[in-house]
Amino acid sequence: MQISNQTLVQSRPLNSAEGQLAGSLIRSSRLQDGYVGQLQTDITAFPTPWLQRFQDEHLAVAVLKDDQTLADTPILHTLEDSEIDEIVTKGRPLVEKAVAEIFGPLRGQADEDYQKYGAAPDLQTRLHEISNQELGFTVAIGRDPQHLEYLAETLGFDPKLDPDGFARWSQAFLDINQGLLEHTGEQVRPRDGIYVVPYVNYRGKNVRAMTLPSYQAITGLDFQQNLGANYPENRLVILHDSVVPNPSPRSGKHRVVLHELGHAVDWICKELPQTRETHEKKVEELFQLARKREAQGQTPFLTDRARDSSGEMMAEAVEAYLTRPEPDSFYKPENFRENLSEKFPELYNYVDYLINLE
């Protein structure tokens, strides 16, 4: 397949620094020749600071064929011992502090167990927030004894096939749960109805929402209709492989990855120091302005998708900003830079500001 960049406002060679940054985001296997290069080229439409932000956020762009699951891509890899140690070393005092804050006032009360049972979801939420910001673990609620092998199997790995991995995980599990569990042989029992489960596989910056079984449940067939999706918590973009070639039988010369990474720009701007206080409000104001103008007979929304929500409007606008017009395209032919500038200059100017943030 010959790589094309004619739809893009800009692109960089695959062997450039920007091309390498773009390539570091892609997780795929068994794709046809040239598909990864085309996707790499598409991603280089973003300026260098955004490519660096995507990498810093551990964002992954996974591509699935119909018969593949997300777990079939190279999105998972085993952590080094030092990385697991870091999760435990940093995590244990944060876990202890959260437990003390929420369960501490309940200890010694006549109905302590009942109150801790009611407060367990609050503690679970607090610990998930800590994990998403700092580390890599999930939190489970339960009072029954658990066998370590069974617990490992529920997370998607077989202790018999990977005894070394099971040993590493077991030790990390026991270390991070000091004070939370009673441990007898291969069985553990949560003392307060909650326990922390560290990951030993890398899943990006924010990991709690997806375990290996849930990765195996996401298949390429799921994306035949929607073509792509984004998962902000997991810093994850998924594309169906049919949208990668240029032109694509599904999306013509328009690049679906630009739309999905437009969502990533939206997520990240909610956290950037320059924009976190104003971005969400600004996007909603622009969305309401577009709806008002449309009611007056104007056409600020370039596509039907942009009408769905402020987030979809932003993703479509980022795609348009990075895209040249394609008059013969059958897929969103109206979604390109000049049209955005003409039909909705306020949104164009805001996207221009965001995309060019240093």
Side-chain angles (χ1 to χ4, degrees):
M1 186 190 82
Q2 186 170 352
I3 295 172
S4 171
N5 64 354
Q6 65 190 90
T7 311
L8 308 173
V9 168
Q10 70 168 351
S11 65
R12 270 68 68 87
L14 300 185
N15 60 358
S16 66
E18 292 82 5
Q20 295 304 305
L21 279 170
S24 72
L25 309 178
I26 300 169
R27 307 286 186 270
S28 63
S29 61
R30 292 176 40 219
L31 293 185
Q32 295 182 36
D33 289 346
Y35 273 41
V36 171
Q38 181 64 64
L39 187 56
Q40 221 173 323
T41 297
D42 295 343
I43 296 171
T44 66
F46 284 89
T48 306
W50 274 104
L51 296 174
Q52 188 63 59
R53 288 185 186 106
F54 294 156
Q55 187 183 66
D56 291 344
E57 289 287 331
H58 305 292
L59 187 146
V61 179
V63 186
L64 299 181
K65 299 172 76 68
D66 284 348
D67 62 345
Q68 287 183 309
T69 74
L70 190 56
D72 294 323
T73 70
I75 199 165
L76 304 178
H77 70 260
T78 301
L79 294 178
E80 300 292 334
D81 288 342
S82 61
E83 295 173 299
I84 297 174
D85 289 343
E86 182 181 14
I87 291 174
V88 174
T89 302
K90 287 185 176 180
R92 188 161 60 199
L94 296 174
V95 169
E96 289 172 353
K97 181 180 178 182
V99 171
E101 288 176 354
I102 293 180
F103 281 173
L106 308 179
R107 299 197 189 282
Q109 297 190 23
D111 57 350
E112 175 182 339
D113 286 345
Y114 176 78
Q115 290 207 46
K116 285 193 298 189
Y117 178 79
D122 293 336
L123 179 56
Q124 184 182 41
T125 298
R126 176 77 60 83
L127 292 174
H128 277 158
E129 291 171 353
I130 292 170
S131 174
N132 281 349
Q133 294 169 6
E134 303 284 344
L135 299 160
F137 56 76
T138 190
V139 182
I141 294 176
R143 294 182 170 272
D144 296 333
Q146 295 273 0
H147 196 282
L148 282 177
E149 284 196 3
Y150 173 77
L151 195 54
E153 288 170 355
T154 65
L155 294 172
F157 67 90
D158 188 336
K160 295 181 177 60
L161 294 178
D162 184 13
D164 291 340
F166 173 65
R168 295 165 75 233
W169 174 82
S170 297
Q171 190 59 56
F173 177 82
L174 295 173
D175 287 345
I176 203 169
N177 281 286
Q178 284 186 16
L180 292 178
L181 299 173
E182 295 174 1
H183 176 217
T184 306
E186 290 300 311
Q187 278 208 333
V188 294
R189 186 179 73 81
R191 290 177 178 170
D192 291 320
I194 197 163
Y195 53 95
V196 176
V197 182
Y199 288 124
V200 295
N201 285 337
Y202 170 83
R203 294 171 170 81
K205 179 181 176 183
N206 295 339
V207 297
R208 73 171 174 85
M210 303 189 87
T211 59
L212 185 56
S214 63
Y215 273 57
Q216 293 168 325
I218 295 176
T219 72
L221 283 172
D222 297 331
F223 297 93
Q224 275 202 342
Q225 183 65 34
N226 294 332
L227 308 183
N230 69 95
Y231 298 81
E233 274 193 332
N234 299 91
R235 298 304 196 249
L236 176 63
V237 164
I238 301 178
L239 303 174
H240 191 269
D241 75 316
S242 65
V243 303
V244 174
N246 186 0
S248 156
R250 309 289 300 283
S251 57
K253 293 181 180 179
H254 274 273
R255 310 288 80 215
V256 173
V257 69
L258 300 185
H259 172 94
E260 300 303 342
L261 289 175
H263 283 296
V265 170
D266 194 20
W267 319 326
I268 294 171
C269 284
K270 293 174 184 177
E271 301 170 4
L272 283 179
Q274 307 98 305
T275 54
R276 65 186 170 207
E277 300 296 330
T278 59
H279 174 71
E280 200 162 5
K281 181 180 178 182
K282 178 68 173 178
V283 173
E284 185 58 33
E285 287 175 351
L286 288 167
F287 185 65
Q288 295 304 326
L289 177 60
R291 294 181 66 178
K292 179 180 178 180
R293 287 181 178 171
E294 187 173 51
Q296 295 170 345
Q298 300 179 49
T299 56
F301 291 118
L302 303 189
T303 68
D304 289 339
R305 177 74 67 87
R307 292 186 182 90
D308 289 346
S309 67
S310 59
E312 291 297 341
M313 180 194 72
M314 266 298 298
E316 290 287 81
V318 169
E319 178 189 345
Y321 183 87
L322 299 172
T323 302
R324 296 182 188 279
E326 284 292 339
D328 298 327
S329 178
F330 61 87
Y331 182 80
K332 296 195 290 191
E334 65 283 0
N335 205 50
F336 58 88
R337 176 182 282 208
E338 291 82 0
N339 210 22
L340 179 64
S341 178
E342 178 186 344
K343 299 289 182 61
F344 201 170
E346 294 90 347
L347 179 57
Y348 175 89
N349 290 336
Y350 186 58
V351 173
D352 180 71
Y353 161 69
L354 295 180
I355 293 297
N356 290 291
L357 279 174
E358 293 294 330

